[in-house]
Amino acid sequence: MASHIVGYPRMGPKRELKFALESFWDGKSSAEDLKKVAADLRASIWKQMADAGIKYIPSNTFSYYDQVLDATATLGAVPPRYGWTGGEIGFDTYFSMARGNATVPAMEMTKWFDTNYHFIVPELGPEVKFTYASHKAVEEYKEAKALGVETVPVLIGPVSYLLLSKPAKGVEKTFSLLSLLPKVLAVYKEVIADLKAAGATWIQFDEPTLVLDLDAHKLQAFTDAYAELAPVLSGLNVLIETYFADIPAETYKTLTSLNGVTAYGFDLVRGTQTIDLIKGGFPSGKYLFAGVVDGRNIWANDLAGSLSTLHALEGIVGKGDKLVVSTSCSLLHTAVDLVNETKLDDEIKSWLAFAAQKVVEVNALAHALAGHKNEAFFFANTAAQASRKSSPRVTNEAVQKAAAALKGSDHRRATNVSARLDAQQKKLNLPILPTTTIGSFPQTPELRRVRREFKAGKISEEEYVTSIKEEIRKVVELQEELDIDVLVHGEPERNDMVEYFGEQLSGFAFTVNGWVQSYGSRCVKPPIIYGDVSRPKPMTVFWSSAAQSMTKRPMKGMLTGPVTILNWSFVRNDQPRSETTYQIALAIKDEVEDLEKAGINVIQIDEAALREGLPLRKSEQAHYLDWAVHAFRITNVGVQDTTQIHTHMCYSNFNDIIHSIIDMDADVITIENSRSDEKLLSVFREGVKYGAGIGPGVYDIHSPRIPPTEEIADRINKMLAVLEKNILWVNPDCGLKTRKYTEVKPALTNMVAAAKLIRNEL
Ligand code: GLN
Ligand code: ZN
């Protein structure tokens, strides 16, 4: 009975690790306290998997911050500015790299493939000296062994480690990261020897970069690396684990002929074409780890469907222990344990499986494959699948019809953007270089208290509305005082830009403990979209009209766009993502039109997460961009020319999707820019024609630093060098909700001053 788990969430069922970490960072508890919480979590996870009957249980998938940073520590690849002088890397150096310290900022963080998890990007230059500086992998292996649990130690594979790194400052253009391979492998050899000596019989290398479009040179690095490691690996079973997408056909050939490797792990949930590659030929005598249980979602597995996939694979690999039932990727990307969901009703709960439940599913599949099917468990699963299919809560005929009616036709506003901008300007009468902000204003503890108490029924609706209106009035007055041109209401009624809408739309459910690690101790709690989405009633009109009534200046209505709502939720797996997005788009469209009717002339539809949903494989990107952009256009196709539609996007890497951004056909886009060293502007310099309004952020809101007026003016001038003055807007990078008023006031004062300074020069 062969079962395997790729990796497991570290935070704990109630975010125990988060609280232990934050208390340690605040100096409220000791390193020993933190280590104790961590050890208890590891022990309970191992025990849970062992009790469930999992054969290949992972170790070294725990992390105090991030598994890639752990690999950096193992390799001793500490950037010199952290002043590490050798020896075993301790909390000081480790957390300085992760979070920065009083004198040195943190290392860069970036998204882990197309997930919402962020890893710490290794920074490697030609002079980096790799040494075996963290024995965490072998320590965790021994720790589990002492508890009576035999584990498979997991390491980030050496080639993926290098491909995910960035060249150190100063050598960006010239340095080949892969040239470091021999030095990195020297340390890997020591780690492997250590694990072997401790008694390990299996080892797992996570090489997820294998699902990307790799050129021949990079593929060759895999061949070279494993050939070099083969002698040390001999005597061990070696699993190369891949996840998040299909394996490209060329890569499959390279992968299945690697030296010294005995097992291959594939994501068969996202990688449905990989099954065809396997059917076309799988090396005899090797193990196949079949990732049939989805590590990225919260739905119960279709056990009957998975079992038939497994039977088909058994026909290729052969009966016996060579076919191993596994998860599609680490369970890090799903919620932890359904038992802690006290607020979900039983029907919805029966449709779900979080990490703890997925472990049981993997085991049940392995048993069934070996001829010991737990009939009762399978029966209950079939019943739950059927109930989900037929539940009236899932299907809404009217929504299905409306979404189906969208098919085959395009949705675009009737006039082109320059004509619309002219019509809008007649109504709005804005100065050149208009100033605005992205939406939220600081969220004070007082504000959070009001929302919490209203939710808990401790204050009346009337009291709540009064407090929120007061807050809006303060924000409006402040913006008038600062002389900002297009105002926002500040979003004081919102806890989160997706949750706020999800709570008011049908088809969404919310968890109490469904947290997923985002970075370090930070977690997100994505809503669950389980049914057809509709909007029972207006969601923002009340607040936006109240805000507009407080000022003569234009007040932006503020909505979250369909693609962002989708990308930041756990989504249905019983229909394509595009289908769900179109449904959300129709709901947002109704809201847009209601805002317009209520006299709101400027409406911002945030698509903060449009870029991050971009598929990993180039071959799939055009299709995604096509429906995502279409869904956005659906939201505002029905408004008059005089209604100005804004959108906002976070994350600086848009250059590859600039044509899709233009195709969104918003009247104005505000876009994060100030941390990306003008990457964005270079697109326009290279001649991309842009006719809509655009506000590349003039200062970084992620930092408490107050940008001086001259610095902002300088930035605006740089923008004017590549963009027409009549389309340029002046605004910060993103919402201000995480900042303090003591930072926001002076920063915006300088921003407005800079805009005026340049207006006078034009
Ligand atoms: N309107 C939102 C805000 O200002 C946008 C947030 C975001 O882009 N992440 O908070
Ligand atoms: Zn943003």
Side-chain angles (χ1 to χ4, degrees):
M1 252 98 51
S3 51
H4 166 252
I5 304 294
V6 178
Y8 202 83
R10 306 119 186 189
M11 264 318 130
K14 297 202 167 152
R15 292 182 295 161
E16 291 82 350
L17 183 61
K18 170 191 178 71
F19 300 115
L21 280 167
E22 289 172 2
S23 149
F24 171 68
W25 292 336
D26 286 350
K28 290 185 189 137
S29 56
S30 67
E32 292 318 305
D33 296 334
L34 175 58
K35 286 182 184 165
K36 169 88 172 57
V37 170
D40 288 350
L41 282 170
R42 288 191 297 264
S44 80
I45 292 164
W46 286 324
K47 184 170 179 312
Q48 181 199 336
M49 288 196 224
D51 288 351
I54 299 295
K55 181 168 178 188
Y56 302 110
I57 297 174
S59 59
N60 200 37
T61 58
F62 170 83
S63 179
Y64 282 104
Y65 205 93
D66 162 46
Q67 71 271 13
V68 181
L69 183 61
D70 292 353
T72 295
T74 301
L75 295 167
V78 182
R81 63 180 182 278
Y82 297 101
W84 174 66
T85 51
E88 185 81 1
I89 290 176
F91 279 161
D92 262 7
T93 305
Y94 182 81
F95 288 130
S96 295
M97 288 191 283
R99 313 176 62 232
N101 58 35
T103 48
V104 191
M107 288 171 75
E108 184 186 312
M109 184 169 78
T110 199
K111 280 164 63 62
W112 179 242
F113 298 84
D114 60 350
T115 72
N116 200 8
Y117 177 83
H118 299 70
F119 71 97
I120 302 284
V121 185
E123 270 172 61
L124 307 172
E127 70 293 336
V128 53
K129 286 196 184 58
F130 295 101
T131 54
Y132 186 11
S134 162
H135 292 64
K136 175 176 174 287
V138 72
E139 280 159 13
E140 275 191 29
Y141 173 78
K142 287 183 186 161
E143 185 182 308
K145 208 176 181 80
L147 295 166
V149 182
E150 180 59 32
T151 59
V152 179
V154 178
L155 301 171
I156 304 267
V159 185
S160 288
Y161 179 80
L162 289 177
L163 294 180
L164 293 168
S165 303
K166 65 169 190 182
K169 256 207 153 55
V171 295
E172 289 93 340
K173 295 249 158 67
T174 50
F175 186 56
S176 150
L177 290 160
L178 284 177
S179 70
L180 294 170
L181 194 56
K183 290 184 185 167
V184 167
L185 291 177
V187 181
Y188 271 83
K189 285 181 192 167
E190 288 184 68
V191 180
I192 295 162
D194 225 5
L195 288 166
K196 234 169 151 176
T201 55
W202 275 84
I203 189 163
Q204 171 181 330
F205 292 102
D206 281 6
E207 294 279 17
T209 51
L210 282 165
V211 306
L212 304 175
D213 302 290
L214 300 176
D215 59 29
H217 173 65
K218 287 177 179 153
L219 280 179
Q220 185 61 38
F222 285 92
T223 305
D224 296 347
Y226 288 91
E228 175 72 26
L229 291 177
V232 229
L233 288 172
S234 90
L236 282 172
N237 272 306
V238 178
L239 164 63
I240 305 288
E241 184 64 50
T242 67
Y243 35 80
F244 298 148
D246 271 313
I247 298 286
E250 257 325 286
T251 304
Y252 184 79
K253 277 189 225 147
T254 306
L255 172 61
T256 49
S257 32
L258 290 180
N259 244 311
V261 173
T262 48
Y264 306 96
F266 299 107
D267 181 335
L268 300 182
V269 176
R270 295 211 164 201
T272 46
Q273 289 162 32
T274 299
I275 296 191
D276 296 333
L277 291 174
I278 297 169
K279 287 182 180 159
F282 187 77
S284 72
K286 304 277 164 136
Y287 290 81
L288 172 61
F289 281 58
V292 290
V293 171
D294 192 353
R296 298 199 47 184
N297 218 328
I298 40 63
W299 303 108
N301 191 261
D302 169 7
L303 294 178
S306 296
L307 193 57
S308 83
T309 304
L310 291 165
H311 280 306
L313 293 171
E314 201 177 41
I316 297 153
V317 184
K319 278 201 183 307
D321 62 351
K322 292 290 192 302
L323 178 61
V324 180
V325 182
S326 183
T327 54
S328 66
C329 61
S330 170
L331 298 176
L332 183 65
H333 311 291
T334 187
V336 181
D337 196 341
L338 198 53
V339 296
N340 297 313
E341 293 311 320
T342 45
K343 295 228 168 97
L344 289 175
D345 60 73
D346 287 345
E347 185 183 30
I348 290 193
K349 254 176 136 168
S350 77
W351 303 340
L352 305 178
F354 293 0
Q357 289 68 43
K358 288 175 192 286
V359 168
V360 176
E361 289 178 342
V362 166
N363 188 60
L365 284 166
H367 273 260
L369 192 60
H372 311 285
K373 190 167 169 187
N374 180 340
E375 295 292 347
F377 190 74
F378 270 70
F379 183 80
N381 176 268
T382 307
Q385 300 287 321
S387 115
R388 196 177 150 207
K389 270 207 186 83
S390 62
S391 171
R393 297 166 75 183
V394 171
T395 315
N396 178 331
E397 295 289 346
V399 173
Q400 291 274 353
K401 257 201 198 128
L406 296 170
K407 288 218 179 82
S409 40
D410 199 7
H411 295 83
R412 286 176 192 277
R413 294 175 77 177
T415 33
N416 74 32
V417 68
S418 36
R420 294 189 321 249
L421 286 173
D422 286 345
Q424 292 153 15
Q425 177 58 11
K426 283 201 185 97
K427 193 159 185 175
L428 298 172
N429 200 17
L430 297 170
I432 202 151
L433 306 183
T435 51
T436 191
T437 62
I438 306 306
S440 56
F441 266 69
Q443 295 250 340
T444 57
E446 165 62 14
L447 201 51
R448 287 179 211 280
R449 188 188 57 80
V450 170
R451 278 202 311 264
R452 207 172 40 239
E453 293 192 345
F454 176 56
K455 242 189 169 160
K458 285 189 193 150
I459 59 171
S460 70
E461 178 156 6
E462 208 184 316
E463 283 172 278
Y464 174 70
V465 169
T466 310
S467 315
I468 297 291
K469 275 194 180 160
E470 250 168 55
E471 183 69 26
I472 294 177
R473 189 176 302 281
K474 272 201 300 206
V475 171
V476 170
E477 277 167 9
L478 172 62
Q479 293 172 91
E480 290 194 328
E481 216 173 280
L482 292 166
D483 202 13
I484 290 178
D485 301 304
V486 175
L487 308 195
V488 296
H489 77 290
E491 306 179 25
E493 78 287 15
R494 299 179 196 181
N495 176 36
D496 175 275
M497 64 188 282
V498 170
E499 190 176 70
Y500 181 75
F501 290 92
E503 280 176 342
Q504 301 188 76
L505 292 165
S506 311
F508 283 74
F510 292 86
T511 65
V512 221
N513 279 297
W515 297 98
V516 183
Q517 187 176 11
S518 173
Y519 65 92
S521 66
R522 296 288 196 104
C523 302
V524 293
K525 193 155 65 63
I528 297 172
I529 306 180
Y530 67 85
D532 290 337
V533 176
S534 63
R535 185 196 71 141
K537 57 179 199 299
M539 305 181 281
T540 63
V541 176
F542 176 78
W543 297 117
S544 286
S545 327
Q548 181 65 81
S549 74
M550 297 173 193
T551 179
K552 289 208 166 56
R553 300 183 188 218
M555 171 63 60
K556 275 197 274 191
M558 195 58 64
L559 305 173
T560 303
V563 186
T564 298
I565 292 183
L566 182 96
N567 283 334
W568 285 348
S569 300
F570 283 124
V571 297
R572 298 172 66 163
N573 59 356
D574 57 352
Q575 67 183 20
R577 294 166 79 82
S578 55
E579 205 73 25
T580 307
T581 312
Y582 284 134
Q583 294 184 359
I584 306 170
L586 288 173
I588 300 294
K589 176 177 195 286
D590 289 345
E591 187 71 15
V592 168
E593 289 167 17
D594 280 344
L595 282 169
E596 183 183 55
K597 270 186 223 133
I600 305 296
N601 294 320
V602 184
I603 301 169
Q604 178 172 316
I605 306 161
D606 287 328
E607 284 294 17
L610 190 136
R611 174 63 175 76
E612 73 178 56
L614 194 67
L616 296 171
R617 295 285 297 286
K618 292 202 177 77
S619 56
E620 295 160 27
Q621 293 177 351
H623 175 62
Y624 165 81
L625 288 168
D626 194 51
W627 63 252
V629 168
H630 186 189
F632 176 82
R633 284 199 312 259
I634 287 169
T635 63
N636 57 80
V637 73
V639 300
Q640 296 164 31
D641 280 1
T642 46
T643 298
Q644 187 163 75
I645 299 294
H646 287 219
T647 189
H648 164 73
M649 292 175 81
C650 304
Y651 195 54
S652 12
N653 202 359
F654 324 94
N655 295 21
D656 49 350
I657 62 161
I658 188 72
H659 293 286
S660 301
I661 293 178
I662 294 173
D663 205 32
M664 288 168 80
D665 198 27
D667 298 310
V668 179
I669 181 164
T670 56
I671 209 162
E672 183 175 319
N673 163 65
S674 67
R675 279 190 303 182
S676 57
D677 296 335
E678 293 190 58
K679 233 197 220 157
L680 175 67
L681 294 185
S682 66
V683 194
F684 302 113
R685 199 168 293 129
E686 283 151 21
V688 169
K689 282 269 164 293
Y690 200 73
I694 180 165
V698 296
Y699 78 89
D700 178 14
I701 57 89
H702 301 90
S703 150
R705 183 174 168 270
I706 316 261
T709 305
E710 304 68 49
E711 184 183 302
I712 298 177
D714 199 48
R715 279 231 163 95
I716 300 174
N717 274 325
K718 287 211 177 96
M719 293 172 192
L720 283 170
V722 284
L723 292 163
E724 300 280 336
K725 65 181 179 211
N726 60 338
I727 60 167
L728 191 62
W729 284 63
V730 176
N731 48 263
D733 257 351
C734 194
L736 303 168
K737 85 179 200 189
T738 55
R739 297 265 64 88
K740 301 193 175 87
Y741 272 104
T742 48
E743 297 151 1
V744 163
K745 278 185 205 169
L748 291 179
T749 304
N750 294 352
M751 183 186 89
V752 174
K756 287 182 176 168
L757 201 77
I758 298 183
R759 271 178 209 159
N760 289 337
E761 290 166 3
L762 286 176

